[in-house]
Amino acid sequence: MSTATGAPTASADTTNSPATTALPTADEHTAAASTAAPRTAATPPKATGRARGWPIRFAVLSLVWGFSFLFIKVGTQGFAPLQVTLGRVAFGALVLLAMLVIKRERLPRSPRTWAHLTVAAFFLNALPFSLFAYAELTIPSTLAGICNATSPLWGMALSVVALSEDRPSRRRVTGLGIGFLGVLTVLGAWQGFSGTDLTGTAMALGASLCYAVGWIYVRRTLAGSRHSHLSMSSTQLLLATVQLAVVTPLFTTAPAAYPLIPLLAVFALGALGTGFAFLLQYGLVAEVGPTTAQMVTYFIPVIATTAGVALLHEQLSWNTPVGALIVLAGAALTQSKPRPSSPSLPRPGTTTD
């Protein structure tokens, strides 16, 4: 999904702790989702009236990111996948740039920051968004939403190699194994993957892998930036728009028509699922903290599946929801941390120094 994320954060986020390590300019995501740019020290949010209303914003964010996969599917019924993605990042960038003007903030000026954000835009927006759009030409939106939930699994696996400070615990390794067992369940591995388009599924899984690569890159290169989340994410989406504006005309022809429903789907995908969703997610992180905000990641596949079945009449076999639950359980384990052991009490008759 997420993230004007997510991801990310992205989040998708979503990661790999999506709550703290990436720019939230990927939806799914994810989750991104709650994956804001630099890690900063902050005091715990106060229990204000605004903060007490966070469950409503949490629910709205879950719906927006969950419906993103439906919007992609509908958008590709009228436009080429790259055109859908270009419209998505362009509308999303317009929303964030408008908010940037309202708040009187500026885009980063450092060439180094722009260079790193160019890479982040490719791995967190341009490439994964395009892969999801191409994937949904041959796979249902429900499957795409579930594949998006594997991003924390990829992130955990890659962080072992790329981040020396992020060593896996037994619990996280177990979660990784459970998660990929869930993927095999979703795909019906015992049936020889019959009925599943492997190319489309590989693209969707590859998109989730892109989020993990992008989040790790951001952690290594932009963690010390002092720019605001809004400024960084606006720049990232702007750069993704430029990248796709250059590539799209080379691989597609201009649309002969602009059918209303697919056009509205692309607009909703960008303005709501990529732009407005970032503003919601950023507010949630500020109000209730990244740990709670990143939980949106686990609602996205549920909503994506419900929307695909109810509105697009996509078929759903038993192994899809069961596998999705296994994936989410594994992803949750990879993000969990063991409770600190309580210090042992001194025995009677002893003293402590």
Side-chain angles (χ1 to χ4, degrees):
M1 327 47 321
S2 128
T3 141
T5 207
T9 138
S11 279
D13 344 84
T14 138
T15 135
N16 161 57
S17 174
T20 55
T21 60
L23 295 170
T25 48
D27 49 4
E28 309 78 30
H29 2 198
T30 349
S34 45
T35 52
R39 189 180 303 177
T40 57
T43 57
K46 297 180 180 179
T48 62
R50 176 176 170 81
R52 284 195 294 268
W54 71 266
I56 297 176
R57 289 183 290 278
F58 185 95
V60 171
L61 182 60
S62 300
L63 286 171
V64 169
W65 271 340
F67 269 82
S68 292
F69 297 96
L70 180 146
F71 293 148
I72 293 172
K73 173 67 77 172
V74 175
T76 55
Q77 294 174 357
F79 304 101
L82 282 177
Q83 293 167 350
V84 171
T85 307
L86 174 58
R88 175 182 187 172
V89 296
F91 286 128
L94 287 174
V95 170
L96 296 189
L97 290 173
M99 184 57 62
L100 202 68
V101 172
I102 292 173
K103 290 193 171 185
R104 298 182 179 181
E105 295 188 26
R106 294 181 177 180
L107 297 176
R109 296 183 178 182
S110 167
R112 175 184 175 277
T113 300
W114 279 76
H116 288 313
L117 286 175
T118 299
V119 179
F122 178 75
F123 282 108
L124 291 174
N125 301 116
L127 182 56
F129 290 180
S130 298
L131 287 174
F132 271 123
Y134 274 106
E136 291 200 40
L137 292 177
T138 56
I139 67 173
S141 63
T142 55
L143 180 56
I146 293 170
C147 288
N148 177 76
T150 65
S151 190
L153 305 177
W154 292 117
M156 184 266 172
L158 291 177
S159 66
V160 174
V161 178
L163 301 174
S164 58
E165 73 276 11
D166 194 1
R167 290 303 179 215
S169 64
R170 183 179 302 176
R171 176 184 301 189
R172 298 182 71 191
V173 171
T174 301
L176 184 64
I178 291 175
F180 284 110
L181 177 62
V183 173
L184 296 177
T185 303
V186 169
L187 300 181
W190 64 92
Q191 299 173 343
F193 304 104
S194 61
T196 302
D197 184 82
L198 294 182
T199 300
T201 304
M203 287 183 179
L205 291 173
S208 297
L209 174 60
C210 287
Y211 291 141
V213 173
W215 290 327
I216 290 175
Y217 180 83
V218 167
R219 280 184 66 177
R220 295 180 68 93
T221 60
L222 293 171
S225 175
R226 296 184 178 180
H227 298 287
S228 71
H229 299 77
L230 179 59
S231 174
M232 299 281 279
S233 295
S234 299
T235 305
Q236 183 179 312
L237 274 185
L238 182 62
L239 288 167
T241 302
V242 172
Q243 292 171 358
L244 286 161
V246 172
V247 172
T248 300
L250 301 177
F251 295 94
T252 65
T253 57
Y258 292 85
L260 180 60
I261 300 301
L263 184 60
L264 289 176
V266 174
F267 174 78
L269 180 64
L272 296 179
T274 307
F276 175 68
F278 159 74
L279 300 175
L280 273 179
Q281 183 261 351
Y282 174 59
L284 279 174
V285 171
E287 292 169 24
V288 299
T291 301
T292 300
Q294 74 172 340
M295 293 301 294
V296 72
T297 303
Y298 305 110
F299 289 85
I300 292 173
V302 177
I303 295 171
T305 299
T306 303
V309 172
L311 300 179
L312 298 179
H313 307 292
E314 294 176 344
Q315 298 299 316
L316 189 67
S317 57
W318 69 267
N319 58 296
T320 301
V322 171
L325 290 175
I326 298 174
V327 168
L328 293 177
L333 276 178
T334 64
Q335 300 306 301
S336 65
K337 295 181 180 180
R339 295 180 180 178
S341 57
S342 57
S344 58
L345 296 176
R347 288 179 292 181
T350 63
T351 59
T352 56
D353 295 331

